[in-house]
Every structure is written in structure tokens, then in C-alpha cells.
Amino acid sequence: MTAELSPANIGTDLDRAVAVLRSGGLIGLPTETVYGLGADAHHADAVDAIFRVKGRPVDHPLIVHVPDIDSARLWASDWPAPAEALARAFWPGPLTLIVTKSEDAPTNVTGGRTTVALRVPDHALALGLLRFFPGGIAAPSANRFGRVSPTTAQHVVADLGIDVDYVLDGGPCAVGVESTIVDCAISPPQILRHGSISAEQIERVIGTLAAVTGPARASGMMASHYAPRCHVHPMTSVHVAQTRAAEMSRGPSPLRARVLDGSVDPQRFAHDLYALLRLCDEDGIDDVFVVLPTNEGIGRAIRDRLLKAAAEPQRPNE
Ligand code: TXA
Ligand code: MG
């Protein structure tokens, strides 16, 4: 069990958050997508601590959060036209851009790759904090590796306890699923992870994207990820989901089953998804039958997360 964080270390005090980051500590960082586990990107020990606390393999690079395009460009040795166009169209917002890294970008942030992931989050508290850190705040989602991302300050506290020094409470995340990741280090650019900004929205700005082929290039693209403890069953029919759940709840040794329906209002469902999965665990649910939204817009991101949540755990890069 992780020891509980004192309520005194949860709040909206930017000065506290700045002090923690300057001293090499870790903060819970609210964004519009999910909460991040943030460190000063240029504080090597603090960045190492992120990997330790998350239990994340060191070759899984971190997203660097920056206050604006100019700060992002300092991390890049090359800033191609599609990156500029997408940054102008969608930042601040739920979009992460991969570009070729500058020579002095710390290798523990970039996982030894030649590229770096950058984003300007659309959240007032995060942007307020980033004004003090134009050099960037490195932050993965603030969950233990492979588990469900946090969308409230309370989720961060429940997951990480005293392993985080201060949690900036920015309320529930507006979007609820992680940012769309676009690799702009290749031409044409390619989506590495779907999010609330859709492929269609991106193509309207930069033209046709590269088709996705070959092995996963972002860790969230591994087969098993985003997983609660209960078993997740992705479903296409509400009726079948309800029937399966009812069957499980009967018999000599009944299991506890629940149905979640993501097909009616995908935007709202994305907002609630991780909190609902966490609630299933808290309520001792064994099996959750989740009705998928259609494969478009934010529905694509939800389907991606749920199919990974349903996959059997595996070791990274297997
Ligand atoms: O919405 C988000 O993106 C949230 C908030 C906190 O900003 N962050 C987030 O970070 O989801 P994380 O670490 O959970 O997921 C980032 C993904 C990982 O799959 C990582 O492998 C990938 O981005 N990534 C980071 N740098 C990369 C790079 N240079 N090339 C390819 N993938 C990269
Ligand atoms: Mg994550």
C-alpha cells in the first residue's frame, strides 16, 4: 500500500508547485486530457524519479510540456512546416507533436531517441505554472505504468500517495483521454496515438497523413495498457452486453458484472471513462461490458484505450 498524501499537499498554490519543481520534486499536473506526473525537464534526478515512481521502462520517452510554440522550438533541431501548422491550429490543446530533438535535449527525457514529444496543454493552472518553466515540464500520465490514467487530483493521490510531493488540483479533466500524438519527424506525418483531435481535423490542416503500419512506436500503443483490475469486455451491442452481464450475475458462484454504454454520447463518455473504470474496481466488479462508440472522432480514441484495457498484460516491447 502506498502511504497517503497529506491533504495539505493538495491544492491550487502555484508558488508551492514552483518550489517543489525547483527543488527537484514531483507534482501532480492538471491538464485538459489527464493528470500528469511532472518534473522540471532539465532536472536530471527529478526526471529519473518519474520513471521510478511510475515503474516505467526508461526507454519510454516523456512528453515535454511547454508554455508556447517558441519554447517548443528550443527542443527541436528541426521544426518542419507541418509541426508549425499543427501547433498554430491546435495549441494550447490536446495534441502532442514529435519532432527531431535538439542536441542538448536531456536523454533521460527522450528515452535515448533522436526525437522529442512536445505539447502546450490547455489548462489555466498548467499554463500558469509553465510561465515559471519555459524550459519545460516533463510529464507522463500520473498513474503506475500500464494502469488507468487519472482524471482528477483525487485519482493521482489514490495512485501515487506520498510518491508525489504536491498535487495541483485543477478539477476534473475536460477531455478525459490522452492527447493525440502526431509524428512530424517523418514525412508525411503519422498519428501514433488517437485522441480528441481527430485524424480528419489534422488532415484538414496538413493534408494526408501516413497510414499506420508496423510495430507500435509509442508505449501507449502496446497491446496492454490503460487497464483496471476488473476484466474489460469491449462490446458492439447494448443488448448483448446486458445479456452477458445478466448471465454472469446468476448461477451458483455469480460474478459481479456491470455495463457501461459509450455509444450514445462519446464526448461525455471520454470525459467519464477512466473515473468509471476506477469505480468498477472500487465497487469490486469482476467484469465490465463496455459498449463501444463508432470508430470516428473521439470514438476512435475510446476504442483504442478500451481494446488495450481488455488485452492480456505483456512485457514492454514483446
Ligand atoms: O495527454 C497526454 O498526452 C498526457 C498529459 C499528461 O499531457 N500525457 C501522456 O503521457 O499521456 P504518457 O507518458 O502517458 O504517454 C506519452 C506517450 C507514450 O506512449 C510515449 O512512448 C510517447 O508518448 N512518446 C513520447 N516521446 C516520444 C517519441 N519521441 N517518439 C514516440 N513516442 C513518444
Ligand atoms: Mg500514460
Side-chain angles (χ1 to χ4, degrees), residues 34 54 56 140-143 146-147 149 178 193 219-220 225-226:
V34 301
K54 273 202 66 133
R56 176 174 172 127
S141 51
N143 50 285
R147 313 304 307 190
S149 297
E178 302 80 356
R193 180 176 72 186
S219 74
H225 221 79
Y226 313 109

Side-chain angles (χ1 to χ4, degrees), residues 141 143-149 159 178 225-230 278 281:
S141 51
N143 50 285
R144 308 275 181 200
F145 187 64
R147 313 304 307 190
V148 179
S149 297
D159 282 6
E178 302 80 356
H225 221 79
Y226 313 109
R229 299 197 189 281
C230 60
R278 284 165 180 266
D281 283 346

